[in-house]
Amino acid sequence: MSSDLPVPETRVLAIASHVVYGYVGNTMAAFVMQILGCEVAALNTVHFSTTSNLYRKPPFLKPFAQVPYLPGNHTAYKQVKGTKASAEEIRDIYEGLKQSYLTDFDVMLSGYAPSADAVEAVGAIGRDLKLKASLKPGSFFWVLDPVMGDQGKLYVNEDVVPVYKTLLHDADLILPNQFEAETLSSIKITSLPTLLAAIAHLHAHYQIPHIIITSVTFTPTSPTLSIIGSTARSNHTPRFFKIDVPAIDCFFSGTGDMFAALAVVRLREAVTEAGLGGVKSWVSPDEVKGVELPLARAAEKVLASMHAVLVKTKRARDEALVGWEGEEGMEGHLRRTKAAEVRLVRNLGDLREPRVEFWAEGLEWTVDK
């Protein structure tokens, strides 16, 4: 491993949306993983001009704000041009890689897919790669971001939900937001105990090794947001940890993709340091506590990088909007959206050398008798 790179040589298949302008989907994720030392093959599920009109609250956003999550000039711009990949096109691209013996991936990161058929096609790819690596534990790891909705609403067709549920048995790490965790677990999440119950159910029912729930909040005006994670023990019971971060009162797009990409790198780094690279699903021994898990160590660095970059993005946004505060209508919306594009390339140091300020804390949970 190069001394200035956090991970050993790592080949990632990233399946997600693509936008021409801004940082969303693979435009965000591929860049982040590449500058941290990963070789990334990007399979794009849509090709849009900008972000679209679907709403998804990313980490660090105050909970009362609504954010367009779009793969494209991503659809946060409320207008978008481009195309969506069909399930057949996704399968054909993967088959082309197989024909040329180019599927020696260590990790797959899957995000937004535009239809139930497309999600099924992505799942078939993940299962094929897992089967290929089945004789060598730890040699392949699937990170699944089940992009379905937020704020209590789906922004995909309802037939996508059961397809995602069929993929959960095969994923190694899932990254749902609070609403998506509720949707996948069928447990109404209204409090910390109900959220922990949802995670425990996902571990036990689907035998998912690792789970992180992003953008957790139960009070609309809370000054902080939380991520809550867990790695299952051998009996599929949870080991919880929680990290609180200050909310930032600003609209951002692509932060979910940034979180997922950083999680790939930092978990790979933490697992390598813990000597778990040859262990199935990179699961720590049962005696390791939640706050000591590689997943917790990774999440601390992920949030450190994100907070630093987004604080600087907010500062740059505010400077860009000086003199335009009262602008209304579509032109005002477009100006504000452009001003809030994540300042990624100007802040690479925060990605490469995060200063951890927010630490994992343990959470106790018992099953109600």
Side-chain angles (χ1 to χ4, degrees), residues 15 45 85-88 90-91 108 110-127 142 144-148 156-157 159-168 184:
I15 307 179
T45 57
S86 67
E88 182 179 3
I90 292 170
R91 287 191 292 265
M108 184 172 103
S110 60
Y112 177 77
S115 67
D117 287 344
V119 174
E120 286 183 346
V122 173
I125 293 171
R127 287 169 177 147
W142 181 2
L144 170 63
D145 185 2
V147 180
M148 294 184 292
V156 295
N157 292 333
D159 61 352
V160 169
V161 176
V163 179
Y164 267 121
K165 288 184 177 182
T166 67
L167 305 188
L168 296 180
L184 293 172

Side-chain angles (χ1 to χ4, degrees), residues 51-324:
T51 305
S52 78
N53 276 328
L54 300 173
Y55 287 91
R56 188 181 201 194
K57 182 185 67 196
F60 299 98
L61 190 77
K62 278 190 177 293
F64 50 78
Q66 284 208 321
V67 179
Y69 170 92
L70 310 201
N73 73 345
H74 46 81
T75 55
Y77 288 85
K78 294 185 178 179
Q79 51 193 12
V80 63
K81 297 289 185 179
T83 59
K84 299 177 182 180
S86 67
E88 182 179 3
E89 288 168 333
I90 292 170
R91 287 191 292 265
D92 284 348
I93 291 173
Y94 180 68
E95 286 301 316
L97 294 176
K98 288 183 70 174
Q99 287 176 354
S100 299
Y101 303 99
L102 298 175
T103 58
D104 55 339
F105 298 110
D106 305 294
V107 177
M108 184 172 103
L109 170 60
S110 60
Y112 177 77
S115 67
D117 287 344
V119 174
E120 286 183 346
V122 173
I125 293 171
R127 287 169 177 147
D128 186 64
L129 292 171
K130 290 204 78 165
L131 179 62
K132 179 173 174 283
S134 59
L135 296 179
K136 190 177 179 182
S139 62
F140 176 74
F141 192 92
W142 181 2
V143 179
L144 170 63
D145 185 2
V147 180
M148 294 184 292
D150 201 2
Q151 304 285 339
K153 296 180 180 180
L154 289 172
Y155 49 67
V156 295
N157 292 333
E158 291 185 2
D159 61 352
V160 169
V161 176
V163 179
Y164 267 121
K165 288 184 177 182
T166 67
L167 305 188
L168 296 180
H169 287 286
D170 297 294
D172 297 292
L173 165 63
I174 64 168
L175 301 172
N177 61 32
Q178 187 170 322
F179 170 70
E180 290 159 347
E182 179 178 286
T183 302
L184 293 172
S185 67
S186 301
I187 294 176
K188 183 68 175 177
I189 298 174
T190 58
S191 62
L192 181 58
T194 54
L195 186 141
L196 299 184
I199 295 176
H201 172 79
L202 291 169
H203 276 318
H205 186 73
Y206 295 102
Q207 299 184 9
I208 305 167
H210 308 277
I211 300 170
I212 292 180
I213 312 298
T214 60
S215 300
V216 174
T217 182
F218 302 109
T219 305
T221 57
S222 173
T224 63
L225 293 175
S226 303
I227 68 118
I228 296 177
S230 171
T231 294
R233 299 181 181 89
S234 58
N235 62 356
H236 310 298
T237 58
R239 285 175 281 183
F240 292 116
F241 65 88
K242 174 185 177 184
I243 306 175
D244 295 327
V245 294
I248 299 174
D249 189 10
C250 182
F251 161 100
F252 302 110
S253 292
T255 52
D257 305 300
M258 185 180 180
F259 186 100
L262 286 169
V264 167
V265 175
R266 295 306 177 185
L267 181 56
R268 175 83 157 163
E269 176 188 34
V271 163
T272 301
E273 291 176 352
L276 296 172
V279 176
K280 182 182 178 182
S281 296
W282 302 347
V283 174
S284 302
D286 286 354
E287 63 270 18
V288 177
K289 298 179 180 179
V291 295
E292 299 169 353
L293 292 166
L295 191 66
R297 298 282 82 84
E300 290 169 348
K301 287 190 175 183
V302 169
L303 295 178
S305 287
M306 291 190 67
H307 185 74
V309 170
L310 295 180
V311 165
K312 293 175 182 178
T313 296
K314 171 68 160 56
R315 186 181 305 136
R317 169 205 180 266
D318 292 347
E319 292 172 357
L321 293 178
V322 171
W324 299 97

